[in-house]
Amino acid sequence: MKCIVCVNHVPDTEAKIKVGADGKYIDKAGINHILNPYDEFATEAILQLKEKNGGETLAITLGGDSHKETLRKALAMGVDKAILLKDDSVRDSLSVAKALAEELKKHTPDFILFGKQSIDYYNEQIPGMVAEILGLPSVTAVVKLTVEDKKVICHREIEGGQEIVETTYPVVISAHKGLNEPRYPSLKGIMASKTKPITEIQPIAVAPVVETITMFKAQSKQAGKIVGTDAAAVPELVRLLHEEAKVI
Amino acid sequence: MTKFSGLDYYEIDGLLTEEEVLVRNTVREFTEEQILPIIEKNYRIGTFPMDLIPKMADLGMFGSTLPAKYGCAEMNNVAYGLVMQELERGDSGIRSFASVQSALVMYPIYTFGSEKQKDYWLPKLASGESVGCFGLTEPDYGSNPGGMITTAQDKGDHYLLNGAKMWITNGTIADVAVVWAKLNGIVHGFLVEKGTQGFSAPEMIGKHSLRASVTSELIFQDVQIPKENIFPKTDGLKSPLMCLNQARYGIAWGAIGSAMATYNTALEYSKTRIQFGKPIASFQMTQEKLVFMVAEITKAQLLCLQLGRLKDKLTLRFPQVSLAKRNNVQMALEIARMAREILGANGILDEYPVMRHMANLESVKTYEGTHEMHTLIVGQDITGIQAFV
């Protein structure tokens, strides 16, 4: 079984984000980057698929040299090999998806895993686009994955509940929190990752069709209002919550 | 409280390799998820969290610089130091456990042991299947271990061990003790297995420090040790001192973790604690304390990093380790006390880690060589004059 995880290198959730001088993209200087948290579930999923079914695992990312750190983490967790589609240029989701699909095709994978979204730009487009380009079934926001012969059964997180869907592989799956408990990269795994190959490949160029015009940070919240400090303030508080905040 | 992201005022991360950063981040996450949620409870009731042992072993934290053929990670010394740093951000007791297992048990077995001893014990200790302890200090011989009165006698087909050791981390829970005793007046190392007749390891009670760590006495009354359990490659007192040097190296790094924990707590607290209508972080006396902390931690980080690079180059001299242990533990203790001042009354509660770190560091300051002994080791090194003995 051949399993591939597509991973992204995103700003740490604790990073203080600044908009770059161009007003379109974030300023990456001095920001710590990590393996996209949802991609950790996807990585763990392919490791478990290999442990159960044998075969090989591969991690792919598209980006600059710094993305190797994220590939290294996937390798340290236990993925066999990694590919860096080396390209620092500005791409929209479709151009990333096309470049990934072009590379994925060469490997004839059985399972292609993604995190359900990257925690930086929130587009949530790539898994679906890649599946469409490759003509494969796509299941998103998966919280449980079972493979029986050719059957793939996925539990999906939906509003207020779950749904269970069935498909066959090859398949593109996007992982949601709850799919598994991602393992820590062990110290041995980290040392072993040094000898695992990261192959650099020039991805196909695709002109973007969606352009970012501007980016700005949300305004910080306004200060709260103190209505009173004793029980006498309750009616006024209830009125404000009802009429102004409209939450009750 | 927000997720801990370390303190790196001088972009020291840039001096680390990709693997070193990954190791540090892995153990940082481990500490956040596995140690911090449980440690206050263990500290309060005075127990070591035993279920951390297999988890730490799975990650490869025991004997992590030793060769892969024993099941070890074969990392360099900087990566090892970063592991100690992150564990001690959790608790000095947890770091002590890993220090003892790695530097005081696996290191001497690897360095002074026979092939048979290495093949038998190192994989068990690396996997956490076995726990080890190190017996050098005696009730009346602390800074002066050469005066030890524990003896081994050659009885032909075995050695007969008599004496007592004290202040032994992991003693009661250990499957094997590395014990130092005089044989014909010369210090030798022996492996003493749990359950050997005449050997007991009662736990010491009543500690106000390192409460989440097991500290024991080791008592030997006519204990018969098989001949094959002596270390064949030791060289008198120098050998256990070589082990202590390994452990001190880890302590120098560990103290940085403790200091980062108390600094971070004080910083966050000072930004949200309002007095006189504004955060206490806006007062000059608080800022002065916080700046002192950042400066001391930054210096300690650079000190340890270079110490580790020297250790990896095999050019490290032991007084350099003494300097780092002495400096870093003292600065961590001062930072813990300052953090407690910033937190005011809240500083004494176990809702915050400050008092626990402070109490732990009181032990760390005097174990593995007291602050004073390390001062005199460096003093001797720079003057050529020994001020003790």
Side-chain angles (χ1 to χ4, degrees):
Chain A
M1 190 173 272
K2 191 152 194 180
C3 304
I4 302 182
V5 64
C6 297
V7 294
N8 201 2
H9 188 61
V10 298
D12 191 345
T13 45
E14 292 301 306
K16 292 195 178 74
I17 304 293
K18 281 187 288 193
V19 178
D22 58 8
K24 292 184 179 182
Y25 304 99
I26 64 167
D27 182 358
K28 290 183 180 172
I31 287 186
N32 193 24
H33 282 67
I34 57 169
L35 169 62
N36 179 40
Y38 288 108
D39 298 349
E40 288 192 25
F41 301 115
T43 306
E44 178 64 34
I46 67 162
L47 293 172
Q48 289 185 10
L49 282 169
K50 181 187 164 178
E51 279 160 6
K52 244 181 230 151
N53 308 294
E56 57 180 306
T57 52
L58 171 70
I60 300 181
T61 190
L62 185 148
D65 260 333
S66 63
H67 284 228
K68 280 187 192 164
E69 276 171 44
T70 273
L71 289 175
R72 191 67 69 192
K73 176 153 183 193
L75 293 173
M77 284 174 75
V79 172
D80 300 322
K81 287 188 282 189
I83 290 174
L84 171 64
L85 296 173
K86 198 169 168 184
D87 179 26
D88 253 338
S89 68
V90 172
R91 285 178 179 255
D92 61 1
S93 298
L94 185 61
S95 75
V96 172
K98 282 183 172 171
L100 283 174
E102 192 65 23
E103 183 60 32
L104 287 163
K105 258 194 279 189
K106 298 182 203 162
H107 301 275
T108 59
D110 297 300
F111 283 84
I112 301 170
L113 268 286
F114 286 86
K116 88 173 176 79
Q117 66 181 91
S118 289
I119 59 157
D120 48 4
Y121 289 107
Y122 275 38
N123 280 311
E124 300 189 41
Q125 299 196 87
I126 307 240
M129 284 175 165
V130 166
E132 171 68 18
I133 296 165
L134 296 175
L136 295 178
S138 156
V139 188
T140 56
V142 172
V143 291
K144 187 176 173 193
L145 169 64
T146 324
V147 183
E148 293 166 6
D149 299 325
K150 279 301 266 185
K151 264 199 311 195
V152 178
I153 297 156
C154 300
H155 292 229
R156 297 188 61 247
E157 191 91 347
I158 56 172
E159 181 64 34
Q162 285 192 3
E163 69 172 355
I164 302 173
V165 300
E166 186 185 313
T167 182
T168 53
Y169 66 86
V171 60
V172 175
I173 288 171
S174 80
H176 200 345
K177 185 175 184 194
L179 177 59
N180 49 46
E181 274 293 324
R183 65 195 67 187
Y184 296 105
S186 75
L187 307 188
K188 269 183 277 182
I190 292 169
M191 299 323 283
S193 76
K194 279 206 293 195
T195 58
K196 292 180 180 176
I198 295 180
T199 311
E200 288 182 25
I201 292 173
Q202 177 74 44
I204 56 164
V206 183
V209 290
V210 176
E211 187 193 344
T212 301
I213 299 165
T214 185
M215 173 193 283
F216 50 87
K217 290 187 78 169
Q219 283 183 332
S220 52
K221 280 184 196 160
Q222 288 179 339
K225 190 192 288 183
I226 295 172
V227 186
T229 55
D230 56 20
V234 172
E236 176 63 0
L237 179 65
V238 171
R239 188 190 67 79
L240 288 171
L241 287 171
H242 183 64
E243 291 175 14
E244 273 194 20
K246 295 187 168 58
V247 291
I248 55 172
Chain B
M1 186 161 291
T2 50
K3 195 179 113 191
F4 179 76
S5 53
L7 169 63
D8 188 10
Y9 200 68
Y10 262 41
E11 296 183 22
I12 298 168
D13 268 14
L15 300 174
L16 301 174
T17 66
E18 217 171 59
E19 291 81 37
E20 287 160 359
V21 171
L22 210 44
V23 164
R24 197 265 321 271
N25 292 351
T26 293
V27 183
R28 181 168 287 174
E29 219 175 303
F30 177 85
T31 296
E32 196 77 29
E33 292 168 4
Q34 307 287 339
I35 300 178
L36 293 178
I38 54 113
I39 195 64
E40 292 293 355
K41 189 177 168 212
N42 281 99
Y43 194 89
R44 199 180 303 168
I45 59 178
T47 54
F48 177 78
M50 294 293 286
D51 57 349
L52 283 184
I53 298 173
K55 292 178 185 174
M56 290 163 79
D58 276 353
L59 273 186
M61 290 192 208
F62 302 143
S64 52
T65 57
L66 298 183
K69 70 170 177 171
Y70 299 116
C72 301
E74 210 169 332
M75 309 186 313
N76 69 13
N77 285 290
V78 170
Y80 169 77
L82 290 163
V83 171
M84 295 296 121
Q85 170 188 298
E86 294 304 319
L87 287 179
E88 192 145 359
R89 185 176 75 87
D91 189 83
S92 304
I94 310 300
R95 198 267 307 136
S96 294
F97 182 94
S99 268
V100 168
Q101 184 90 344
S102 303
L104 295 181
V105 180
M106 297 177 74
Y107 167 82
I109 293 174
Y110 176 69
T111 309
F112 310 119
S114 64
E115 289 308 312
K116 197 175 162 197
Q117 289 166 349
K118 288 195 254 189
D119 291 343
Y120 182 77
W121 283 111
L122 293 178
K124 282 179 192 285
L125 291 159
S127 69
E129 185 191 331
S130 295
V131 171
C133 69
F134 177 88
L136 175 67
T137 299
E138 297 185 357
D140 295 325
Y141 295 92
S143 294
N144 175 23
M148 71 170 67
I149 53 175
T150 299
T151 55
Q153 286 172 280
D154 192 339
K155 293 288 182 184
D157 62 342
H158 66 270
Y159 296 106
L160 194 66
L161 198 60
N162 275 293
K165 300 289 178 181
M166 207 174 183
W167 306 112
I168 310 306
T169 301
N170 299 350
T172 311
I173 57 172
D175 302 288
V176 62
V178 170
V179 178
W180 301 91
K182 279 183 182 164
L183 174 65
N184 301 324
I186 308 286
V187 174
H188 283 271
F190 300 86
L191 290 166
V192 184
E193 289 189 52
K194 185 181 198 159
T196 309
Q197 203 174 358
F199 169 40
S200 60
E203 186 167 357
M204 295 171 65
I205 53 166
K207 286 182 297 175
H208 278 302
S209 172
L210 291 175
R211 290 185 51 76
S213 171
V214 174
T215 311
S216 318
E217 292 176 65
L218 305 181
I219 299 165
F220 309 98
Q221 285 178 319
D222 290 331
V223 180
Q224 294 188 16
I225 312 287
K227 280 260 160 142
E228 60 182 21
N229 282 19
I230 192 171
F231 283 149
K233 295 182 236 168
T234 57
D235 181 16
L237 186 61
K238 186 179 162 216
S239 298
L241 296 184
M242 282 167 68
C243 302
L244 293 183
N245 218 36
Q246 297 293 317
R248 291 162 182 173
Y249 170 80
I251 292 169
W253 280 92
I256 299 173
S258 174
M260 288 202 286
T262 53
Y263 159 71
N264 197 53
T265 305
L267 176 67
E268 295 299 322
Y269 185 89
S270 70
K271 290 195 286 193
T272 52
R273 170 74 175 172
I274 309 292
Q275 288 294 288
F276 304 104
K278 50 187 178 178
I280 60 170
S282 60
F283 295 112
Q284 293 181 0
M285 288 176 81
T286 306
Q287 289 196 0
E288 196 277 337
K289 289 186 177 79
L290 294 169
V291 171
F292 174 87
M293 295 179 184
V294 171
E296 288 305 314
I297 293 171
T298 302
K299 288 188 272 182
Q301 286 171 326
L302 289 166
L303 195 63
C304 267
L305 181 58
Q306 175 63 1
L307 192 72
R309 296 286 180 237
L310 292 176
K311 191 158 165 46
D312 282 328
K313 272 201 310 189
L314 306 176
T315 58
L316 180 82
R317 295 184 315 110
F318 70 87
Q320 293 169 324
V321 180
S322 287
L323 183 79
K325 193 266 182 186
R326 177 186 179 279
N327 181 78
N328 290 9
V329 177
Q330 179 65 32
M331 72 89 196
L333 188 53
E334 280 176 36
I335 287 173
R337 288 172 179 157
M338 276 185 180
R340 142 83 178 111
E341 285 169 17
I342 290 174
L343 266 68
N346 280 310
I348 71 162
L349 292 179
D350 67 4
E351 187 184 341
Y352 299 94
V354 174
M355 197 85 173
R356 177 167 53 82
H357 278 288
M358 194 201 298
N360 282 339
L361 288 164
E362 288 291 349
S363 294
V364 180
K365 189 179 175 185
T366 57
Y367 77 14
E368 309 296 353
T370 62
H371 187 78
E372 289 84 349
M373 286 311 296
H374 289 298
T375 305
L376 298 182
I377 288 169
V378 179
Q380 179 190 7
D381 187 50
I382 58 178
T383 63
I385 306 165
Q386 182 167 296
F388 54 97
V389 186

